[in-house]
Amino acid sequence: MALTPPCALPQALASLLPAELQTECTQLQGKRGDRLFTLHRKPAWMIFVASGEVVLQRLGIQGETVVVQRVRQGFVAEASLHSGSYHCEAVVMRAGDFFAIPIERLTQALVADPAFAMRWLVMVNQELRRLRAQCERLCLKTVKERLLHLIETEGTQGEARSLSLNGGLKSVASELGVSHEALYRSVAELVRQGVLLRSHGLLQISKPVQV
Amino acid sequence: MALTPPCALPQALASLLPAELQTECTQLQGKRGDRLFTLHRKPAWMIFVASGEVVLQRLGIQGETVVVQRVRQGFVAEASLHSGSYHCEAVVMRAGDFFAIPIERLTQALVADPAFAMRWLVMVNQELRRLRAQCERLCLKTVKERLLHLIETEGTQGEARSLSLNGGLKSVASELGVSHEALYRSVAELVRQGVLLRSHGLLQISKPVQV
DNA sequence: CGTACTTTTGAATCGCATCAAATCTGGTGG
DNA sequence: CCACCAGATTTGATGCGATTCAAAAGTACG
């Protein structure tokens, strides 16, 4: 994991953080497989993903991994603010740039700056809604339903509802809670049926259909 | 839904809210089947559940319901604070007492009182972690695994890990994302195997076993 | 006492997990 | 440039567990 002191904060981060916190950010470069933090460690940094892809995953009893969050732009594990130890693991799936903010500074700023606290709260509320949508998705019974739900819910590339596959279909599969084989088969069949279009690492709904 | 003007706030609520907000609370009594709010309405009240049981559910395309949250003590749909319209429906499963706080007042207090804002943030972060745990649970493949995970994660009655069934096994089933028949069968088999004990509407793990 | 709902058991079917194997891909080093 | 490797992608076959439909028995409530 490389360090790059001279920071150029992305717009999303610059408009959220108060000025005094922006100077506290440390830029990181991570490559595939890097751990941003690991289980059961006391959280010291809040990580913002500027580019690339990071998954937040939990480890089951048998060691199987469950993807709880895929982040391409935003914070990883916002809830770790008030947590004694990480409950999850953050792994880089696609190389990119990240910014680390000392949690202690962040907490101080939240108390001192009500406007910032409200912006932070809005962000956390968005994440809450995203997670509720994910629960709804995981309650769907078939792989096709889950996939279409994901594209309709999270796909916001340009006009059409679409989903980027840059992180690989496997990370999508574990986000959907299905085996990658089942996902490949469902994608193939939906493309065959003309429901989905696949091109340039992008998956999009070709026509409004309910399966 | 009945109104009871003279409010006696529960401890959990009294220690969270600042004094000026406590006088703004309206107490409600709801019975089974009551809607605390419905879909696509602009949120005007934040609801706190003091007793009874409320489920927050989303309606799927085919009209099937998905339980996103079961609340016996706490706020329903905290994220609706900054939302233009409700994305879910809140239904009373078991009669109880509720408190309604005007969202506008709540927002004002959050901006004006940094300490309150931090307490609120801590609560929302807990809900975030709870939802991540639920996603993890829904990724488990068998009903038995999901049930045991639920008991281990949320069951905190007294000493032993246990789960209250007062809301009915059906609401538990939809929270687990399985059919109620499958849940009945799994419960029966786990009891038969001696893994679970069932008595007085309580389900608890009798010995530490992994299935 | 009747109605509505929950709880429970049964049988048939279907979709997914799993194991296996072949192909394809990008990246590394000789 | 090619050989090679690790990982992703894809297709096939099999078995299991859950869904679904069905029906009976138990329970709460007016």
Side-chain angles (χ1 to χ4, degrees), chain A residues 53-57 67-71 76 89-93 171 174:
Chain A
E53 179 171 320
V54 174
V55 297
L56 187 67
Q57 59 188 20
V67 171
V68 180
Q69 189 186 14
R70 287 196 315 148
V71 188
V76 185
E89 219 180 31
V91 182
V92 178
M93 296 301 288
S171 78
S174 53

Side-chain angles (χ1 to χ4, degrees), chain A residues 141-207:
Chain A
K141 290 155 291 293
T142 69
V143 176
K144 291 181 194 171
E145 285 173 322
R146 293 192 193 180
L147 177 60
L148 291 177
H149 183 282
L150 179 67
I151 298 177
E152 287 168 356
T153 305
E154 303 221 330
T156 46
Q157 311 276 7
E159 289 295 312
R161 304 288 173 75
S162 59
L163 179 73
S164 161
L165 301 178
N166 286 329
L169 265 189
K170 284 184 82 168
S171 78
V172 175
S174 53
E175 188 182 10
L176 292 178
V178 300
S179 67
H180 60 278
E181 296 99 325
L183 181 57
Y184 286 130
R185 276 183 257 259
S186 292
V187 169
E189 192 174 342
L190 287 173
V191 169
R192 207 179 314 127
Q193 293 175 348
V195 179
L196 288 183
L197 286 177
R198 189 174 181 179
S199 60
H200 311 98
L202 219 67
L203 210 53
Q204 66 182 90
I205 298 181
S206 56
K207 47 179 177 180

Side-chain angles (χ1 to χ4, degrees), chain A residues 15-203:
Chain A
S15 62
L16 174 71
L17 298 182
E20 68 270 19
L21 256 189
Q22 299 193 14
T23 62
E24 304 268 358
C25 293
T26 307
Q27 188 173 6
L28 305 168
Q29 258 116 35
K31 62 179 196 307
R32 181 181 180 82
D34 282 347
R35 252 79 177 167
L36 293 182
F37 51 78
T38 49
L39 220 50
H40 304 314
R41 301 287 283 285
K42 180 162 172 50
W45 305 86
M46 181 66 64
I47 306 286
F48 182 89
V49 178
S51 62
E53 179 171 320
V54 174
V55 297
L56 187 67
Q57 59 188 20
R58 295 175 79 111
L59 299 175
I61 307 167
Q62 291 89 5
E64 80 283 4
T65 62
V66 171
V67 171
V68 180
Q69 189 186 14
R70 287 196 315 148
V71 188
R72 288 204 300 272
Q73 162 93 18
F75 283 97
V76 185
E78 301 90 337
S80 60
L81 237 198
H82 300 105
S83 182
S85 69
Y86 288 117
H87 297 165
C88 300
E89 219 180 31
V91 182
V92 178
M93 296 301 288
R94 202 152 42 90
D97 296 316
F98 316 110
F99 294 88
I101 309 170
I103 281 196
E104 197 187 349
R105 298 289 190 174
L106 185 58
T107 306
Q108 291 169 357
L110 283 171
V111 174
D113 186 342
F116 171 49
M118 289 305 283
R119 291 198 300 273
W120 184 266
L121 191 55
V122 168
M123 187 195 68
V124 174
N125 280 337
Q126 282 174 359
E127 182 65 10
L128 260 187
R129 279 193 291 273
R130 202 194 60 77
L131 275 172
R132 291 204 207 285
Q134 181 161 354
C135 287
E136 182 187 5
R137 187 181 310 131
L138 291 173
C139 282
L140 297 176
K141 290 155 291 293
T142 69
V143 176
K144 291 181 194 171
E145 285 173 322
R146 293 192 193 180
L147 177 60
L148 291 177
H149 183 282
L150 179 67
I151 298 177
E152 287 168 356
T153 305
E154 303 221 330
T156 46
Q157 311 276 7
E159 289 295 312
R161 304 288 173 75
S162 59
L163 179 73
S164 161
L165 301 178
N166 286 329
L169 265 189
K170 284 184 82 168
S171 78
V172 175
S174 53
E175 188 182 10
L176 292 178
V178 300
S179 67
H180 60 278
E181 296 99 325
L183 181 57
Y184 286 130
R185 276 183 257 259
S186 292
V187 169
E189 192 174 342
L190 287 173
V191 169
R192 207 179 314 127
Q193 293 175 348
V195 179
L196 288 183
L197 286 177
R198 189 174 181 179
S199 60
H200 311 98
L202 219 67
L203 210 53

Side-chain angles (χ1 to χ4, degrees), chain B residues 109-123:
Chain B
L110 283 171
V111 175
D113 186 341
F116 171 51
M118 289 306 281
R119 291 199 299 274
W120 184 266
L121 190 54
V122 168
M123 187 195 69

